[in-house]
Amino acid sequence: MKKDLTKNRMGSKKRKMSPFIIILYLLVGAFFYFGYYVVMTDFFKVNPLNFPYLILSIYFVFATILFPYSGNKVSVWLENSPTFDLFVVPVMSMPFAYIIAPFVFISGFFKIFKNK
């Protein structure tokens, strides 16, 4: 018996996020930022608060703040994409959503103004 995946995929177009889920996303984002900080200080032996690396640090601060929004968008996008469902596991979607969080937010921001 074959499962009807399109019916399940279309039902999850918009997902409401509870405050618990938002806090959980923020904690995971803080964990990713901590990982970035540790890699920069221990592995690369640079201070992330000095000039060239400060830009990247500020980017990741915005990525941490916007991670709940982008994490939700990316997970819905992956659920509705039959091709990426086969290749991308949910564990890999979280770091991907964290890294591209500002871009996902900006694209959503422009879509709002484009529709008006």
Side-chain angles (χ1 to χ4, degrees):
M1 181 148 91
K2 192 175 182 181
K3 275 173 63 173
D4 187 18
L5 295 177
T6 59
K7 187 174 168 184
N8 291 338
R9 291 179 197 287
M10 293 306 173
S12 64
K13 282 280 186 191
K14 288 211 175 198
R15 205 185 281 176
K16 198 83 162 149
M17 293 179 65
S18 69
F20 175 74
I21 298 296
I22 292 172
I23 291 171
L24 192 61
Y25 269 110
L26 288 173
L27 288 174
V28 170
F31 177 74
F32 286 152
Y33 187 81
F34 178 73
Y36 155 76
Y37 189 82
V38 167
V39 165
M40 292 299 279
T41 56
D42 290 345
F43 185 72
F44 291 114
K45 304 284 189 225
V46 295
N47 185 1
L49 301 177
N50 287 343
F51 172 64
Y53 310 108
L54 182 63
I55 297 169
L56 189 60
S57 297
I58 291 172
Y59 175 82
F60 281 128
V61 166
F62 284 126
T64 302
I65 293 168
L66 298 173
F67 183 55
Y69 174 78
S70 71
N72 189 28
K73 288 279 192 184
V74 168
S75 67
V76 168
W77 180 65
L78 285 176
E79 286 176 3
N80 292 329
S81 172
T83 306
F84 287 112
D85 226 6
L86 299 173
F87 299 113
V88 179
V89 293
V91 174
M92 291 306 297
S93 69
M94 295 282 278
F96 177 71
Y98 177 75
I99 291 171
I100 66 164
F103 296 113
V104 171
F105 181 76
I106 290 171
S107 71
F109 188 72
F110 284 130
K111 282 182 184 179
I112 291 172
F113 283 117
K114 187 175 131 184
N115 291 335
K116 284 187 177 184

